[in-house]
Amino acid sequence: MQPPLVAVVILNWNGRRHLEQFLPSVMAASYGNQRVIVADNGSTDDSIAFLRERYPAIRIIELGRNYGFAGGYNRALKQVDAPYYILLNSDVEVTPGWIEPMVQLLESDQQIGACQPKLRAYHHPELFEYAGAAGGWLDRYGYPFARGRIFDICEVDRGQYDKTVPVFWASGAALFIRSAVFHSAGGFDEYFFAHQEEIDLCWRVQLAGHRVFACPASVVYHVGGGTLPRGNSRKTYLNFRNNRIMLSKNLSWQEKLWVMPFRYMLDAVSAWKGLLTGDGGYFVAIVRAHMSYVKWRLFKRHLSVFPKERGRPVEGRFKGNLVWLHFVKKKKIFAEIVKKEA
C-alpha cells in the first residue's frame, strides 16, 4: 500500500545558492510518495532558470512578486493538492528518513494537526537551532521560546528533548501540517508578512481543537537568518508588531485586560534598554511596532485571520514570566524553566 502523498513546498526568494546547496538532500529523502514544489516569490536572480535546468521534475509555482512568507505560502498552497504539506525553508538540509516519523505520528492520531522535526544548527550541528529547536512554547506574556532554546541561548543536543510531546507551536522552517487543517484555520495571517506567523497559526489550530507536536525522531539542519538576520531592525519591528497583534487576536478578553498592558511595559523597558546601550535602531523599531499595532487596531484589523472556535485548552503555554526567570533569576535552559515538561 502506497503511503500518503506529502507535498514538500519550498518558498523561494532570490535563494538560488540555497536551492543549489540543499535541494539534493530533499530530493534524496527515502519517503516513497513525496512531491517537491518550489513556490517563487518574484525572485530577480536566476533561481527559476536553475530549477528548470537542473530539476525539471520539480513543479514551480511562480507568484510574480514577493508576498512574504505568509502571503507566499497562502497563494502557493491553494494550488497544491495533497493530504499533507511540509513547509520547508530553502536553507534546510534534511536527513534521508526525515518524513516517515512525522507521517507516522499524524497517521496515529487524527487530533494532531501539525508537528515539526528536531531542528539543529547547520553550522554548529551539535546545537539546537534558534527557529524552533525541539518544539516551541509561549509564556504568559507572549514570549516564544523552545525546548532547547531560550531567547538567544541554544543548548547542545544531548538527547534531552527526544520525547515526542505536544508543544504550543511548530517552526515554520520545517512545518508538517494536514492540508485540511491549514485551510480550515484560514492559513497564515498575511498581515504579518513574515515572523511569528507560524505561532499565530498554531495557536488558531489549537483553539480549533487540534494538537501540535514535536517529533524529534525526525532531524533537520537549518542555516537560519538567511533573509533577515537576528539584530536586523526590520526583523525587530516585525517580531514586536506581530507578537502584539497575535496576542490581541488569540487571547481571551479576560486575559487581554492584564496581559496587554503588562506586555506594553515590558516592551518599553526593552526599548529603553536598547537606547541606553547605544542601539537606537532597536529602540526605533519597537516604537514603530507599537505605532503599527495601533494602526492595525484602528484600520487594518479586518485583514487578519481570527480564531473560528475556542475548543480544548491549548498546550505548551507556560504560565510564568520568561523574562523574569531568564534575565533576573538567570535560568538559561528550558529544563530549568519548565521543569515538569523537560
Side-chain angles (χ1 to χ4, degrees), residues 64-342:
R65 68 180 178 87
N66 188 2
Y67 289 98
F69 185 95
Y73 266 121
N74 281 356
R75 284 162 176 77
L77 294 178
K78 287 177 182 177
Q79 304 178 50
V80 178
D81 184 17
Y84 293 116
Y85 298 146
I86 298 179
L87 282 54
L88 184 68
N89 277 16
S90 61
D91 61 345
V92 173
E93 181 177 80
V94 304
T95 51
W98 75 295
I99 295 177
E100 287 88 338
M102 295 191 290
V103 171
Q104 291 166 9
L105 175 61
L106 267 68
E107 288 283 292
S108 72
D109 187 345
Q110 292 299 308
Q111 197 176 38
I112 302 175
C115 70
Q116 70 156 78
K118 180 196 293 184
L119 273 73
R120 287 184 184 153
Y122 178 77
H123 292 298
H124 300 280
E126 75 281 4
L127 299 177
F128 287 106
E129 206 278 318
Y130 179 88
W137 275 58
L138 197 76
D139 93 329
R140 175 176 289 183
Y141 302 105
Y143 289 98
F145 61 113
R147 301 165 72 230
R149 192 271 292 175
I150 306 297
F151 290 106
D152 285 339
I153 297 177
C154 295
E155 298 177 42
V156 174
D157 179 11
R158 299 188 177 90
Q160 66 270 44
Y161 305 118
D162 276 357
K163 186 178 178 183
T164 301
V165 293
V167 292
F168 189 89
W169 55 274
S171 173
L175 173 61
F176 186 97
I177 188 166
R178 297 181 193 274
S179 59
V181 169
F182 180 87
H183 293 298
S184 66
F188 291 119
D189 187 334
E190 293 189 24
Y191 190 81
F192 281 42
F193 189 76
H195 299 296
Q196 300 201 27
E197 63 285 293
E198 79 268 48
I199 305 177
D200 172 68
L201 173 64
C202 287
W203 199 338
R204 286 184 279 116
V205 163
Q206 286 207 67
L207 290 175
H210 305 286
R211 306 178 80 190
V212 179
F213 265 68
C215 183
S218 173
V219 180
V220 302
Y221 297 87
H222 184 213
V223 174
T227 305
L228 290 176
R230 294 202 300 277
N232 177 281
S233 291
R234 172 70 172 164
K235 185 166 188 173
T236 299
Y237 163 76
L238 289 171
N239 272 319
F240 276 86
R241 184 198 70 171
N242 293 351
N243 187 273
R244 194 160 177 81
I245 290 173
M246 178 177 70
L247 292 173
S248 182
K249 287 171 53 181
N250 297 302
L251 287 173
S252 67
W253 68 266
Q254 297 98 325
E255 285 183 287
K256 279 189 238 185
L257 291 176
W258 57 272
V259 169
M260 299 297 281
F262 194 78
R263 179 57 194 266
Y264 178 83
M265 182 194 73
L266 291 173
D267 287 359
V269 170
S270 184
W272 280 104
K273 179 183 176 183
L275 183 63
L276 294 173
T277 55
D279 193 349
Y282 184 79
F283 176 86
V284 171
I286 295 176
V287 172
R288 285 184 58 237
H290 280 264
M291 292 173 63
S292 292
Y293 166 73
V294 172
K295 180 180 178 182
W296 173 83
R297 287 284 305 179
L298 293 175
F299 305 113
K300 303 289 187 179
R301 201 164 179 265
H302 65 282
L303 298 176
S304 284
V305 180
F306 284 82
K308 294 183 175 65
E309 303 172 44
R310 287 196 172 269
R312 58 192 306 281
V314 299
E315 298 171 289
R317 183 94 187 275
F318 178 54
K319 295 180 180 179
N321 185 335
L322 183 67
V323 171
W324 174 262
L325 290 172
H326 180 69
F327 292 105
V328 179
K329 293 292 189 177
K330 304 301 180 183
K331 306 291 185 182
K332 303 298 183 183
I333 63 174
F334 180 88
E336 294 176 333
I337 292 169
V338 188
K339 296 179 181 178
K340 67 179 181 179
E341 297 293 339

Side-chain angles (χ1 to χ4, degrees), residues 30-46:
S30 60
Y31 188 71
N33 195 15
Q34 73 164 355
R35 180 184 303 156
V36 180
I37 300 163
V38 174
D40 189 76
N41 245 343
S43 293
T44 55
D45 67 359
D46 63 343

